[in-house]
Amino acid sequence: MAEPHAHAAAHDDHDHKPHGWRRWVFATNHKDIGTMYLVLSCTMFFIGGIAAECIRLELFRPGLQFFDPQFFNSLTTMHGLIMIFGAIMPAFVGLANWMVPMQVGAPDMALPRLNNFSFWILPFAFTLLIGSFFVPGGAPAGGWTMYPPLILQTGAAFPMLIFSVHLMGMSSILGAINVIVTIMNMRAPGMTLLRMPLFVWSWLITAYLLIAVMPVLAGAVTMLLTDHFFGTTFFTAAGGGDPVMFQHIFWFFGHPEVYIMILPAFGIISEIIPTFSRKPLFGYEAMVYAVASIAFLSFIVWAHHMFTVGMPLAAQLFFMLSTMLIAIPTGVKVFNWTATMWKGSLSFEPPMLFALAFLFLFSIGGFSGLMLAMVPADYQYQDTYFVFAHFHYVLVTGALFSIIAAVYYWLPKWTGHMYDMKLGTWHFWLSAIFVNVLFFPQHFLGLAGMPRRIPDYAVQFTDWNMVSSIGAFGFGLSQLLFPYLIIKCIRAGRAAGNRAWEGAHGLEWELPSPPPFHSWTTPPSDAVIARGAAH
């Protein structure tokens, strides 16, 4: 058996930080890979955002102004795919890469080379997807849900779409395996499961969801591929297939996917609110069980997206009631966050501002989701702008705001510098105002009957569409403050201490700012873990 010092000497080269392009191309360090995920996510956010601005530009007035209907539908399809698979999901994976090893007392992710591979799949996937704009027939225009038979009419872009979705799914599965192995095998000895931060818990549960549902999406798009090229008729009615079967398979993936994009957000908010309330998180164990309950229920509610396809009454009742049931664990979380703030010593730095906006605005998305769960009402809401408003309140003021809050919360730890608080506050207020100007009027448009995914509309919808488009332009421009603030913070800024925020808790705040290349070369002691616990 080798002596301990001989073992350390054998791995001495790991302690030297590589430089230049090799540091990034061959990165195996969790912080470098986390940074690359976040940079990719930010890039995709602005590309997807340009598509969104083009959509709102076309819809500013009735009539076809700038784009033909085919290209408009390509914009809506690509906006959805880029934002979900390119902006939101890689951002959460990047945050997991940065924070999970630091929060559980591990030196790195468990499978560092796999980590490198799972990142580098993504730039190729998105190059392929965005490149579909430049092939004959243009980009896919069948919606991000890829429903047949419409998606089967895509031109040369069809195999590019399917292959890029496969690559994204592969990356997600590999990333999820890495997160699970890191949390289960590499926690510090004193870090029991019920001592783990809520962010780690939310990611552990999310990773199991990813492994469960990503192969379902892979199966669905492979069936589309064989229908298109090999003469199968899974979804082709003329050959005895059923287009509605695709919806069942897709949404069995798609509904857990919605929670894949919001459970890590719950973890982030559960870190930020106790810090800026200067109180322990209220009801820690209840929060853990609530996250697990939401994850379980997400598997049995998929057909609430399909109330109008003609399913039997018993199925409609089951999916209606099971959907309403999700409101209970979600309500537990909202009440626990509120109780954490009750009689706390609150301060309102940018992370807390975004967390509070999340709490209030995500709840609006939750309430409109309950409205959509009611079968009779859903017949009116289905495929209108009301659905559009609902899921943007969940994904923009929910997932996106939580990602921004997380960056504002941990940026001093990552860079060793404090950022410009005034600029961060400006970013918050502009975002919070314009996001409501953008999406709230869409509830009214939907209730009045405006269908989604149309490039032109009846004249009675003009006023609210103008308001919504003005909100979109304001929201898009205000996001430019965010990368400017981050770059400014990296280059300069007053030094941040190890514990950048008064009241911050968790093992990451026991490390120096910025943290060393390998986070915990020796596991933290039980006393350090107990000091860092949030409950």
Side-chain angles (χ1 to χ4, degrees), residues 129-401:
L129 185 65
I130 295 164
S132 67
F133 273 115
F134 307 104
V135 299
W144 82 272
T145 52
M146 300 175 282
Y147 281 179
L150 186 58
I151 199 70
L152 294 171
Q153 297 164 23
T154 306
F158 185 80
M160 299 169 75
L161 167 69
I162 302 301
F163 190 43
S164 64
V165 169
H166 271 300
L167 289 174
M168 295 169 204
M170 193 190 306
S171 170
S172 295
I173 292 168
L174 296 178
I177 291 168
N178 214 343
V179 168
I180 291 169
V181 177
T182 302
I183 294 170
M184 300 308 283
N185 286 8
M186 296 189 67
R187 300 194 311 276
M191 179 64 73
T192 59
L193 285 174
L194 286 175
R195 268 183 166 179
M196 294 196 315
L198 248 293
F199 180 68
V200 176
W201 258 116
S202 66
W203 243 109
L204 179 63
I205 292 166
T206 300
Y208 280 110
L209 284 181
L210 278 165
I211 290 170
V213 301
M214 277 299 170
V216 178
L217 176 65
V221 298
T222 303
M223 291 158 85
L224 284 176
L225 192 74
T226 61
D227 272 13
H228 194 276
F229 289 110
F230 300 110
T232 58
T233 54
F234 291 115
F235 310 126
T236 309
D242 183 4
V244 173
M245 182 171 74
F246 178 85
Q247 295 189 31
H248 279 288
I249 300 169
F250 179 87
W251 285 115
F252 189 80
F253 146 80
H255 203 76
E257 167 68 14
V258 171
Y259 290 96
I260 286 163
M261 292 188 286
I262 205 66
L263 292 184
F266 291 166
I268 290 162
I269 301 307
S270 301
E271 300 287 314
I272 292 172
I273 286 180
T275 295
F276 294 98
S277 303
R278 289 156 184 84
K279 275 179 66 187
L281 183 68
F282 181 87
Y284 168 87
E285 287 193 26
M287 295 286 261
V288 172
Y289 293 131
V291 174
S293 304
I294 291 167
F296 169 74
L297 289 170
S298 73
F299 280 100
I300 59 168
V301 296
W302 76 89
H304 68 212
H305 298 266
M306 302 167 52
F307 283 148
T308 57
V309 302
M311 68 175 73
L313 181 62
Q316 289 184 332
L317 283 170
F318 170 79
F319 287 109
M320 177 174 80
L321 295 170
S322 58
T323 302
M324 291 165 66
L325 204 57
I326 286 192
I328 296 171
T330 309
V332 166
K333 304 188 78 58
V334 172
F335 285 124
N336 282 21
W337 289 322
T338 309
T340 302
M341 291 186 286
W342 179 252
K343 294 190 175 175
S345 176
L346 272 66
S347 62
F348 300 101
E349 288 86 353
M352 185 61 161
L353 290 171
F354 275 100
L356 290 172
F358 169 97
L359 198 56
F360 182 69
L361 299 174
F362 173 77
S363 297
I364 293 175
F367 283 127
S368 60
L370 272 176
M371 294 169 70
L372 289 161
M374 308 295 173
V375 174
D378 188 72
Y379 271 75
Q380 171 68 19
Y381 307 139
Q382 174 72 16
D383 267 341
T384 70
Y385 260 72
F386 189 87
V387 178
F388 194 90
H390 155 70
F391 72 73
H392 279 87
Y393 264 91
V394 172
L395 287 180
V396 178
T397 65
L400 177 64
F401 273 27

Side-chain angles (χ1 to χ4, degrees), residues 37-38 40-46 48 79-96 122 126 172 203 206 210 257-265 268 391-392 394-404 475:
Y37 268 112
L38 291 168
L40 174 77
S41 164
C42 189
T43 306
M44 289 297 134
F45 172 70
F46 282 105
H79 167 72
L81 287 167
I82 289 167
M83 285 302 199
I84 288 168
F85 294 110
I88 300 297
M89 289 176 67
F92 281 134
V93 178
L95 291 169
L122 288 178
F126 290 111
S172 295
W203 243 109
T206 300
L210 278 165
E257 167 68 14
V258 171
Y259 290 96
I260 286 163
M261 292 188 286
I262 205 66
L263 292 184
I268 290 162
F391 72 73
H392 279 87
V394 172
L395 287 180
V396 178
T397 65
L400 177 64
F401 273 27
S402 75
I403 291 163
I404 295 170
F475 184 74

Side-chain angles (χ1 to χ4, degrees), residues 408 411 419-420 423-424 481-490:
Y408 278 137
L411 191 61
Y419 50 84
D420 186 333
L423 205 58
L481 288 172
F482 192 44
Y484 171 73
L485 181 146
I486 293 168
I487 292 163
K488 185 181 170 191
C489 173
I490 292 166

